[in-house]
Amino acid sequence: MRTHTTLVINPKGGSGKSTVTANLASYFAANDVLTAIMDYDPQGSSLNWLRQRPQHAVRIHGANAAPQRGGRLRSVEMHVPQDTQQLIIDAPAGASGLLIQEMLGRAHCIVIPVAASAIDIHATANFIRDLLLGGRIRERNIRLAVVANRVRKSMPGYEPLERFLNSLNLPMLTRLVDSDVYLKAEETGLGIFEMEFAATAAERQQFLPIAEWVAARPQLIVEGRVQAPSLPVRSILPAAAVASRPGLRIITKGFQPQ
Ligand SMILES: Nc1ncnc2c1ncn2[C@@H]1O[C@H](COP(=O)(O)OP(=O)(O)OP(=O)(O)O)[C@@H](O)[C@H]1O
Ligand SMILES: [Mg+2]
């Protein structure tokens, strides 16, 4: 089976890339899906998190894609087992140029966490526009969605964020509240789906749409004919037309990977 790859990216530091990466990976691992994380960040937050994982936790493979020092071979460190079903890429802050192209070249879908602050929204909006203008997303039919992160319980809606997403016609998958549970997960090497249910129920519910969206694969319908094998439908998202290719619509009507 082909590895499905999700790129978690936002050039803005601290937007929640490593948090989303770790919890997404732990969701799949906890569901017995062979999972790997590829950490492009020299800070190595995701690889550090993997090192904290207790012995009883389901194994998640860690691959180091950060530039190597001291003669270590990047291609060796980047290796991901061939039977990996879900690969999650944790991008570094400030990524640009060739590094972005390399990560995009691997991705089937992109998740962009954005913190609910005017500064973060502004930076993220520019990044998404550049991504879309680059053409690679459309050429390769890469799905793209945004996640609002660190949303305050006292301020569940944030108008500038809603306006920004509406202007780009992008799905906002969910809002993750600012919660100590994520800090606890970071410290223990576990994900929210592997922690005590009662203590993580709200966070799980908020996070689940991300996992379901990633697990869903788009059905391509070309002139009314379904091009992908039909499997049981789990979640239904709105259809989006591909402007440059008349007659081709991407229906993001998801189904579970095999
Ligand atoms: N929803 C949340 N609630 C509480 N804390 C959070 C939440 N999301 C992220 N954090 C915390 O904020 C800090 C930054 O998050 P994280 O490391 O995921 O961001 P990042 O985008 O990967 O940062 P960098 O750009 O430095 O790689 C971490 O300590 C993380 O635990
Ligand atoms: Mg990070």
Side-chain angles (χ1 to χ4, degrees):
M1 205 192 108
R2 212 163 62 113
T3 303
H4 181 265
T5 303
T6 304
L7 172 60
V8 185
I9 190 166
N10 188 334
K12 193 83 183 61
S15 58
K17 299 177 284 294
S18 302
T19 302
V20 169
T21 298
N23 286 289
L24 195 52
S26 99
Y27 170 84
F28 287 123
N31 282 284
D32 292 325
V33 174
L34 296 175
T35 304
I37 292 178
M38 188 177 273
D39 197 345
Y40 267 80
D41 192 342
Q43 287 184 107
S45 309
S46 284
L47 295 180
N48 277 336
W49 174 77
L50 282 177
R51 275 183 222 111
Q52 312 297 322
R53 264 175 96 67
Q55 292 233 315
H56 65 78
V58 181
R59 191 177 140 69
I60 298 171
H61 179 87
N64 185 4
Q68 295 297 315
R69 291 201 200 113
R72 286 159 70 182
L73 261 187
R74 187 166 178 250
S75 58
V76 173
E77 302 264 328
M78 281 173 84
H79 174 75
V80 170
Q82 231 176 7
D83 56 355
T84 300
Q85 292 168 287
Q86 291 285 347
L87 172 64
I88 324 292
I89 298 181
D90 185 8
S96 61
L98 284 178
L99 198 62
I100 290 214
Q101 293 310 317
E102 184 182 314
M103 292 186 286
L104 283 180
R106 296 175 179 274
H108 298 109
C109 70
I110 299 179
V111 174
I112 302 178
V114 54
S117 85
I119 291 173
D120 283 56
I121 290 167
H122 183 73
T124 307
N126 288 338
F127 169 66
I128 294 178
R129 275 192 202 109
D130 289 349
L131 259 190
L132 294 175
L133 285 173
R136 196 90 187 256
I137 305 275
R138 193 182 289 167
E139 268 164 34
R140 297 194 50 235
N141 286 334
I142 302 174
R143 295 181 298 145
L144 193 151
V146 175
V147 170
N149 189 28
R150 307 202 73 156
V151 174
R152 294 208 197 123
K153 285 190 185 122
S154 59
M155 245 171 93
Y158 189 65
E159 210 222 322
L161 182 61
E162 323 279 331
R163 253 191 286 126
F164 150 64
L165 291 172
N166 285 343
S167 72
L168 292 168
N169 209 9
L170 285 176
M172 173 154 73
L173 296 178
T174 188
R175 294 174 170 80
L176 307 179
V177 290
D178 198 305
S179 160
D180 292 349
V181 166
Y182 292 106
L183 299 175
K184 187 89 189 146
E186 188 177 279
E187 282 164 22
T188 55
L190 290 171
I192 54 173
F193 294 97
E194 298 168 304
M195 294 161 70
E196 197 201 331
F197 185 83
T200 56
E203 287 76 8
R204 286 175 188 229
Q205 199 183 10
Q206 288 160 10
F207 200 93
L208 203 56
I210 307 176
E212 289 186 334
W213 183 82
V214 168
R217 305 221 178 152
Q219 264 181 310
L220 288 184
I221 298 187
V222 181
E223 291 170 354
R225 287 179 49 218
V226 177
Q227 299 294 299
S230 45
L231 287 167
V233 173
R234 263 288 285 281
S235 60
I236 297 175
L237 296 168
V242 180
S244 64
R245 296 165 75 178
L248 174 67
R249 284 177 3 118
I250 297 178
I251 310 287
T252 47
K253 197 186 247 185
F255 51 83
Q256 284 294 290
Q258 294 177 69

